[in-house]
Every structure is written in C-alpha cells, then in structure tokens.
C-alpha cells in the first residue's frame, strides 16, 4: 500500500543519513586524542538517535513524551513493548483523566463593569439658550449609572456545570441587585439543557429552563421559558430561536419572543476572514426596527477592525461607527460613536481584558451638534495614538525584552553545550568537506561559498546585535549530496554544526552558492523547506 511504501522510504532515508553521519563522526578516522574524544561523543549521539528513530515502539514513546519518556526506569506510565497505537491510546486516556481532575478545580470567571458618564454640560454649556447655573464656569460632568456583574463556573462532572452569577446596578441614586444559579447538563454531542434560579430585591424570585439541540449538521434550535415572581403577580415568558447555515460563512436566524416585550426577529449574519455583515428585522411591541451593520477586518497583527451600522424604528434612527484594535496579548480596545434622533450623541469606550469587560458609555449631548460629533470622533483617536506611543509600545517592548532575557538565562547552559558540540562537529567535518568540494568542482556541481544563520541586522545597528549570526558554510557544504542540498521544514538550529545564536528571536538562513559556474543568493526562514538547486536552475544548466 501507499502507506507501507512511504514508511519504507522513510526507513531508507533514515539509514542513509545514519551511515553518512557515522562515516563523518567515526572515532577511528581521527588520530588526535582531542578530536577522537569529540568524535566519540557525537558518534554516540548519532547512534542513540538512530536506535530510537528506527524502533517503532521507542519512536512512538519519543514522539509523545520526548527524551524524558525514554529515560524513565520501568516506564511507570505505560508498558514499553506495546504497539505505537496502544501507547498513544494509553497516553490519551491518561490525558483525559488529568483533564477531568483539572476540570473539577477550574473556574471560568467572567465579569463586566459599566460606568455611565453624563457629559452633556460639556457641550450644552456653550449653547445660546443655556442658562448659567451657579457654581462657576466649569462644565459639570457626573457618573449617573453603574453596573457590575460577575459569574463563575464550577464543573461538577464531565457533563454537569454550575454557573453562579450576580449583578448590581445603580442609576441616579437608585439601584438594586440580583443573584442567579444555573445548572447545565450536556445530554449528548447534539444538545444540552439548563435550569436557572434567581432572586433580586426588585423583581423577586425567578425560575427558568433552556434547551439547545442540533437538529441537523447545519441547523440548531434553542427554546427557553421562565416565570418571574413579584408583588404584581407572576410574569411568564418564553422564546425560541432556530438557526441554519445558509452557506459556509452565512447564518440565518429566526427568533420568537413572548412576554413583556413580545417580538419576532429575523436576521442574516455573514462572517468571513475580512468582513462581518448583519441584517436584522424585528416586529414587536413596543419596539420594531430594521438594522444593518458592516465590519471590515484588517489582516494585521493588531487585528484592527472598523465598523458601521444603521438602525431605524419606532424609537427613531441611530447611526454608529467605530474601530477596534488589539493593544496587547489579552486586551482589545474599541471606541464607537453613536448619533441618533432623539438620543443625541454618545461615545462608547470598551476594553476587553481576558474574560473581563470594562464599558464607559459617555453621553455627550441630547442634540446632534457638529462639535460633539467632531470631538467624539477625533478625541479618542488622538488619545489612543498618544497612549500607544508613550505608554503601550514602550511597555510591550520592555515586556518582550524581559521575556527574551529570561529565556536566554534559562537556556544559557544548554546553548553553551550545543555551541561546543557544533564547534566539535565543524572540526570533524573539515576532511569530509574538502572531499565533497573536490568532487563537486570536478563536475561543476554545488559549492557553498558563504552561509550565515541567525538574526540579520542593518549596518547602522548596534555592535552587539551583529554577533547574532554564525557562519555555517562548512555544515551546509557537508550536507550536499549529488550536487543537491535539501533541508526540511524544521528549525535549522538542530542541523549538525548549527546552534541557536539568538534564542527566542526570529532567525533566517542566508547563503551564497555556485552551481554550474553561476552564482546564486538565497534567504530562507528558519523553518522553511529549502531545495538547492531549484528546478529553473536545472533547466538553464541543460540549455547551456
């Protein structure tokens, strides 16, 4: 079969590489005691690696557990003589058991803090019909609304989870809170159900149920019902939603809701790699509306997005536009300007930090004033650029430098060992490289003139950065076979005669070589596959 042929091919390549390295590092080829000692160490490493890679059981253990797995005496984890499939199956079982233990101790905290700010006095203060209030000429800005919510998950079993959540809300001096307990059970791979119990100082006790079910591979349904108890009586509510994949990137939703705010909503959502589009229509009491939004996703490291939306209904019309950007590994910052009739102009700032969300809705004016729209648009952008340049960028750069320095310190002894091994290998390679070059020159084959590996810098960089490149001309020439140099998709730091000159930093390979009397230059990434000469160079050589 194809799989068997591929396995035999891999074994043949392994044997060929092993024989070649044995000839290169064999101790009997060296008379000098120091060279003989270095060759003996490298020869033993090659022999040990071949023993592991050529044995299916040992290779399976190494692929799963690494070098430490081979060094365990008695191999308490699994038996050494099992087949590779049995070893992997046993390892996966142990992984599942460990995950289940972690599941019992793990929580998934989520929280939201919202601070509403009333800044209408900032712009109304300069209107002609504004009546001066006592207290000076400074605008009055106040916090008129606050909301805090928090939830944690407590896995009970592999299928049961308890979620405890609570919230506090204040508005203009009045407020209240509630607490909820939700019990969720995964009934199968196609569905789950949950029960919800709640209590608060405003609405009273709450009881609810919710179920989710995958009807087909492209369609799912959710249904929910609840009963809210209060001094005015019992308020029942119910809702159901059906969703279906219209194509690979498009979802269609149909929702019906019955209760204090009954409505029927239908929406289409299209999400691709570069954009997100939503079209929604709701008919209900007291609100009916038509909404359309579009978001464009830039393909950059900061995951920048710009968005805009229009929403119109019985309540009026609202236009929103804004931007979102990743400012650190776990933080995303966004700002949205909302312009509506009769709502006025508002600015919403949102910061997501891991599973925590911080919201700052700022109400600027009850009317649509050009000055409010201008400052709501330009103000956040100017502040962001200033904070990004003066605080965030230096902080992130300092963090990366600290991580790199820690990584260098932790791996210093290992890198020093690898460097000594590479230098020993270079000495042992000299005679073989001389013979390879003579053979290649006789047939106008492949000659490596110069090769460097590491982090390349510009001429105006600091001197200490120039030491992050090592000369690998000899090791690469030693890998040339039949006028070909083939490197696989793996870090080149593991090649014979190589080591990592700049731990944790981006590296590349740059080489100048001669093939058929023509000079060529190549720049390759650290983990990129490389084949020299290329097919086009073969065709040119045949024409000559």
């Amino acid at each position: 079969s194809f799989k068997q042929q591929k396995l035999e091919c891999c074994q043949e390549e392994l044997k060929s590489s092993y024989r070649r390295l044995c000839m290169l590092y064999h101790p009997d080829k060296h008379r000098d005691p120091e060279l003989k000692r270095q060759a003996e160490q490298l020869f033993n490493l090659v022999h040990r690696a071949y023993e592991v890679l050529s044995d299916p059981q040992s290779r399976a253990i190494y692929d799963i557990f690494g070098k430490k797995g081979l060094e365990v005496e008695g191999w308490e984890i699994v038996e050494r003589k099992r087949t590779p499939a049995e070893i992997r199956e046993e390892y996966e079982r142990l992984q599942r058991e460990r995950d289940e233990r972690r599941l019992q101790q793990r929580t998934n905290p989520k929280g939201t803090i919202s601070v509403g700010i009333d800044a209408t006095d900032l712009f109304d203060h300069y209107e002609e019909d504004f009546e001066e209030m006592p207290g000076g000429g400074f605008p009055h800005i106040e916090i008129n609304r606050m909301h805090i919510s928090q939830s944690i998950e407590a896995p009970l079993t592999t299928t049961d989870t308890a979620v405890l959540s609570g919230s506090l809300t204040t508005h203009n001096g009045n407020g209240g809170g509630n607490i909820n307990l939700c019990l969720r059970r995964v009934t199968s791979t196609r569905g789950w159900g949950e029960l919800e119990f709640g209590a608060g100082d405003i609405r009273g006790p709450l009881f609810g149920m919710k179920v989710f079910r995958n009807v087909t591979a492209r369609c799912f349904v959710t249904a929910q019902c609840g009963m809210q108890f209060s001094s005015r009586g019992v308020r029942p509510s119910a809702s159901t939603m059906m969703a279906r994949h219209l194509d690979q990137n498009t979802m269609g939703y149909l929702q019906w809701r019955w209760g204090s705010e009954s409505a029927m909503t239908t929406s289409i959502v299209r999400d691709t790699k570069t954009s997100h589009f939503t079209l929604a229509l709701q008919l209900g009491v007291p609100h009916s509306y038509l909404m359309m939004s579009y978001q464009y996703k830039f393909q950059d490291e900061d995951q920048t997005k710009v968005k805009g939306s229009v929403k119109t209904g019985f309540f009026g019309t609202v236009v929103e536009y804004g931007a979102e950007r990743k400012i650190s590994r776990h933080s995303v910052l966004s700002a949205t300007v909302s312009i509506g009739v009769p709502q006025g102009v508002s600015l919403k700032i949102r910061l997501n930090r891991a599973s925590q969300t911080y919201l700052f809705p700022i109400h600027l004016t009850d009317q649509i004033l050009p000055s409010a729209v201008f400052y709501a648009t330009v103000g956040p952008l100017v502040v962001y650029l200033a904070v990004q340049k003066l605080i965030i960028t230096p902080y992130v750069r300092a963090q990366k430098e600290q991580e790199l320095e820690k990584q260098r310190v932790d791996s210093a002894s290992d890198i020093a060992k690898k460097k000594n091994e590479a230098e020993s290998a270079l000495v042992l390679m000299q005679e073989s490289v001389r013979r390879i070059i003579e053979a290649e020159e006789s047939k106008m084959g492949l000659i490596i003139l110069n090769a460097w590996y590491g982090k390349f810098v510009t001429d105006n960089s600091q001197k200490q950065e120039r030491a992050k490149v090592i000369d690998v001309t000899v090791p690469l020439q030693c890998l040339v076979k039949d006028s070909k140099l083939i490197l696989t998709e793996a870090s080149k730091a593991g090649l014979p005669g190589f080591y990592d000159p700049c731990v944790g930093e981006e590296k590349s390979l740059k080489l100048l070589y001669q093939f058929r009397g023509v000079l060529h230059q190549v720049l390759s990434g650290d983990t990129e596959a490389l084949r020299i000469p290329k097919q086009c160079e073969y065709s040119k050589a045949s024409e000559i």
Side-chain angles (χ1 to χ4, degrees):
S1 66
F2 174 75
K3 187 175 181 181
Q4 187 175 2
Q5 291 177 358
K6 187 177 179 182
L7 182 61
E8 292 175 356
C9 181
C10 292
Q11 289 293 335
E12 287 299 321
E13 291 178 359
L14 181 63
K15 290 179 182 177
S16 175
S17 299
Y18 173 63
R19 286 194 296 266
R20 211 166 113 204
L21 290 174
C22 283
M23 292 176 62
L24 180 64
Y25 295 140
H26 202 286
D28 294 342
K29 296 181 64 177
H30 305 278
R31 296 182 179 180
D32 184 87
E34 180 61 25
L35 292 179
K36 195 177 185 71
R37 184 186 64 80
Q38 294 175 358
E40 200 170 286
Q41 292 178 352
L42 294 172
F43 182 82
N44 290 334
L45 285 174
V46 171
H47 183 66
R48 177 60 177 151
Y50 177 73
E51 284 183 340
V52 172
L53 296 177
S54 59
D55 180 63
Q57 287 82 5
S58 298
R59 183 162 189 167
I61 295 169
Y62 179 79
D63 289 343
I64 297 171
F65 302 101
K67 187 178 178 182
K68 292 182 179 179
L70 298 168
E71 296 172 352
V72 176
E73 288 191 16
W75 239 77
E76 296 98 352
I77 304 174
V78 293
E79 297 176 10
R80 283 180 179 266
K81 296 305 178 184
R82 292 189 179 184
T83 64
E86 290 174 337
I87 292 172
R88 288 189 174 88
E89 185 178 348
E90 182 72 4
Y91 177 71
E92 290 172 358
R93 185 187 66 78
L94 294 170
Q95 282 283 79
R96 286 195 299 270
E97 291 180 357
R98 188 177 66 176
D99 291 341
E100 289 175 2
R101 289 194 299 270
R102 289 181 177 178
L103 196 64
Q104 296 174 2
Q105 303 171 353
R106 185 183 62 192
T107 61
N108 184 22
K110 297 179 182 179
T112 301
I113 297 177
S114 177
V115 180
I117 301 173
D118 184 3
T120 55
D121 194 43
L122 192 63
F123 293 95
D124 294 341
H125 190 77
Y126 299 99
E127 291 298 302
E128 295 180 359
D129 56 349
F130 180 79
E131 297 181 1
E132 187 71 29
M133 299 294 292
F138 292 100
H140 180 64
I141 300 175
E142 64 177 5
I143 296 175
N144 62 353
R145 183 191 297 267
M146 288 190 68
H147 174 79
I148 301 175
S149 64
Q150 187 74 29
S151 68
I152 57 172
E153 294 183 3
L156 306 177
T157 65
T158 55
T159 58
D160 297 333
T161 304
V163 182
L164 181 65
S165 61
S167 64
L168 292 172
T169 303
T170 65
H171 180 56
N172 292 331
N174 299 317
N178 62 72
I179 186 170
N180 290 68
L181 175 64
C182 178
L183 301 175
R184 181 182 305 146
R185 164 166 286 189
V186 179
T187 55
S188 67
T189 57
R190 302 182 61 183
W192 50 265
E194 65 180 27
L195 296 176
E196 182 181 6
F197 307 92
D201 59 352
I202 298 178
R203 296 185 178 180
L206 167 70
F207 172 75
M209 296 172 54
K210 185 176 182 179
V211 294
F212 169 89
R213 181 74 176 177
N214 277 315
V215 181
T216 65
R218 299 170 59 88
C219 179
F220 67 87
V221 175
T222 64
Q224 184 176 1
C225 63
M227 299 183 69
Q228 181 78 59
F229 300 90
S230 66
S231 57
R232 299 181 180 179
V234 180
R235 289 186 177 182
S237 63
S239 67
T240 183
M241 182 187 71
M242 183 177 69
R244 181 177 174 81
H245 285 275
L246 303 181
D247 60 36
Q248 185 178 1
N249 300 308
T250 308
M251 289 286 294
Y253 298 89
L254 183 62
Q255 183 181 23
W256 171 78
R257 188 171 64 248
W258 172 77
S260 58
E261 295 184 356
S262 300
M264 177 73 77
T265 307
T266 181
S267 59
I268 297 176
V269 179
R270 181 170 178 80
D271 191 10
T272 65
K273 186 178 180 181
T274 59
S275 64
H276 182 93
F277 174 78
T278 302
L279 178 64
L281 173 65
Q282 175 174 301
L283 300 175
V285 179
H287 296 301
S288 295
Y289 64 83
L290 174 66
M291 188 272 289
M292 181 174 64
S293 69
Y294 179 80
Q295 183 182 80
Y296 181 78
K297 307 173 186 177
F298 291 91
Q299 303 303 305
D300 57 358
E301 293 182 359
D302 297 323
Q303 301 176 10
T304 307
K305 302 173 185 177
V306 293
K307 52 189 176 181
S309 68
V310 178
K311 187 176 182 180
T312 182
F314 294 159
F315 54 84
T317 301
V318 178
V319 176
E320 292 186 346
Y321 58 89
E324 177 182 301
R325 195 170 194 181
K326 186 178 181 180
I327 58 176
S328 70
R329 184 182 301 176
H330 303 291
S331 301
V332 177
L333 180 66
S334 65
T336 304
V337 179
S338 178
I339 306 169
V341 178
Q343 291 88 347
V345 181
S346 299
L347 171 64
K348 302 173 185 177
I349 298 175
R350 181 189 185 102
L351 174 64
N352 289 91
R353 174 71 178 173
S355 59
Q356 303 295 314
T357 303
Y358 305 91
L359 297 172
F360 301 93
I362 306 172
H363 189 199
L364 299 177
T365 177
D366 294 326
Q367 305 175 28
I368 301 180
L369 300 178
S371 58
V373 175
F374 175 78
Y375 284 110
T377 305
V378 178
L381 183 61
V382 173
V383 172
Y384 168 76
L385 292 176
V387 172
Q388 177 78 11
K389 186 174 182 180
L390 300 176
I391 300 176
I392 296 177
T393 302
Y395 174 75
V396 172
R397 188 186 301 118
Q399 266 195 332
K400 287 183 179 178
E401 290 176 355
Q402 289 178 0
E403 291 176 1
L404 282 175
E405 185 61 30
K406 185 177 182 300
Q407 198 171 354
R408 293 191 195 102
V409 172
D410 293 342
S411 59
S413 59
D414 185 53
I415 293 300
K417 181 181 176 183
K418 296 288 185 184
K419 183 178 179 181
N420 291 333
E421 290 178 358
E423 291 173 350
S424 301
L426 286 177
V427 176
L428 300 174
M429 288 177 182
Q430 296 296 332
E431 183 62 27
S432 296
V433 167
R434 185 185 63 79
R435 291 197 301 268
I436 293 173
I437 291 177
E438 289 177 356
E440 293 295 326
E441 284 179 343
S442 65
K443 55 185 178 182
M444 294 185 65
L446 177 59
I447 307 294
I448 307 297
L449 301 177
N450 285 300
W452 302 271
Y453 173 69
K455 181 181 179 182
F456 294 91
V457 294
T458 57
D459 294 336
N460 56 1
S461 300
Q462 298 179 359
K463 292 184 179 180
Q464 58 266 27
E465 290 185 324
R466 298 185 181 183
K468 295 182 180 179
V469 178
I470 59 173
D471 188 339
V472 291
T473 307
V474 172
L476 282 183
Q477 186 67 65
C478 193
L479 294 174
V480 173
K481 184 180 179 182
D482 298 331
S483 299
K484 295 178 185 178
L485 175 64
I486 300 175
L487 302 179
T488 58
E489 293 181 348
S491 176
K492 298 172 178 61
L495 295 173
F498 281 64
Y499 69 93
D500 193 343
C502 44
V503 178
E505 299 185 62
E506 192 172 329
K507 295 171 283 292
S508 53
L509 176 67
K510 185 177 182 181
L511 66 151
L512 179 68
Y513 66 92
Q514 180 178 309
F515 180 69
R516 299 290 192 263
V518 181
L519 292 177
H520 301 272
Q521 186 171 338
V522 173
L523 181 64
S524 172
D526 185 28
T527 57
E528 288 182 17
L530 182 64
R531 183 185 179 93
I532 296 176
K534 300 177 182 178
Q535 189 64 35
C536 60
E537 295 169 8
Y538 271 120
S539 60
K540 289 180 181 178
S542 62
E543 291 174 5
I544 293 172

